[in-house]
Amino acid sequence: QVQLVESGGGSVQAGGSLRLSCAVSGYTYSSGCMGWFRQAPGDEREGVAGIYTGDSTTYYADSVKGRFTISRDNANNTLYLQMNSLKPEDTAMYYCAAGFEKYGDRWYLELESQYDYWGRGTQVTVSS
């Protein structure tokens, strides 16, 4: 079974930074995609950032472009989300996800349906 475990969440004031980590096991980085999603109370789960492990193509939600960076460390089987200039609206539970090929050679990094495995989440709270 593929397993993903998030860490690095916490409370930070607006303008601050956090780096989320996702430890991955049972998954080959070269065979699919990885992503970060978030969900605030009362809202639907939103795709934040994704990366295709074949050529490192990335996706970022418009709301986080220029502030968040997704990256991976193949040697340590870890996915990261560097979050800078945090805003109160970034407050949410953040989930790490992994997906395999399921739409031919197309990859929908921003869509929940692209991903097959999910972590339990790590809470990020941003205050003013």
Side-chain angles (χ1 to χ4, degrees), residues 1 3 5 21 25 35-36 46 51 73 75 86-87 97 99 102 119:
Q1 290 277 6
Q3 296 184 1
V5 181
S21 298
S25 63
W36 289 95
E46 172 192 22
I51 183 167
D73 184 338
L86 283 162
K87 304 175 180 179
K102 59 197 305 180

Side-chain angles (χ1 to χ4, degrees), residues 70-82:
I70 187 171
S71 62
R72 57 191 172 97
D73 184 338
N74 290 348
N76 293 316
N77 288 339
T78 305
L79 182 75
Y80 300 99
L81 184 67
Q82 178 66 46

Side-chain angles (χ1 to χ4, degrees), residues 55-111:
D55 62 5
S56 296
T57 297
T58 58
Y59 159 81
Y60 293 98
D62 288 342
S63 59
V64 307
K65 286 181 179 177
R67 299 189 297 119
F68 291 10
T69 302
I70 187 171
S71 62
R72 57 191 172 97
D73 184 338
N74 290 348
N76 293 316
N77 288 339
T78 305
L79 182 75
Y80 300 99
L81 184 67
Q82 178 66 46
M83 305 186 295
N84 298 326
S85 301
L86 283 162
K87 304 175 180 179
E89 51 263 45
D90 295 318
T91 296
M93 183 72 74
Y94 283 71
Y95 299 90
C96 177
F100 296 99
E101 181 177 324
K102 59 197 305 180
Y103 301 112
D105 62 352
R106 302 290 297 275
W107 297 88
Y108 299 91
L109 301 178
E110 76 279 18
L111 299 182

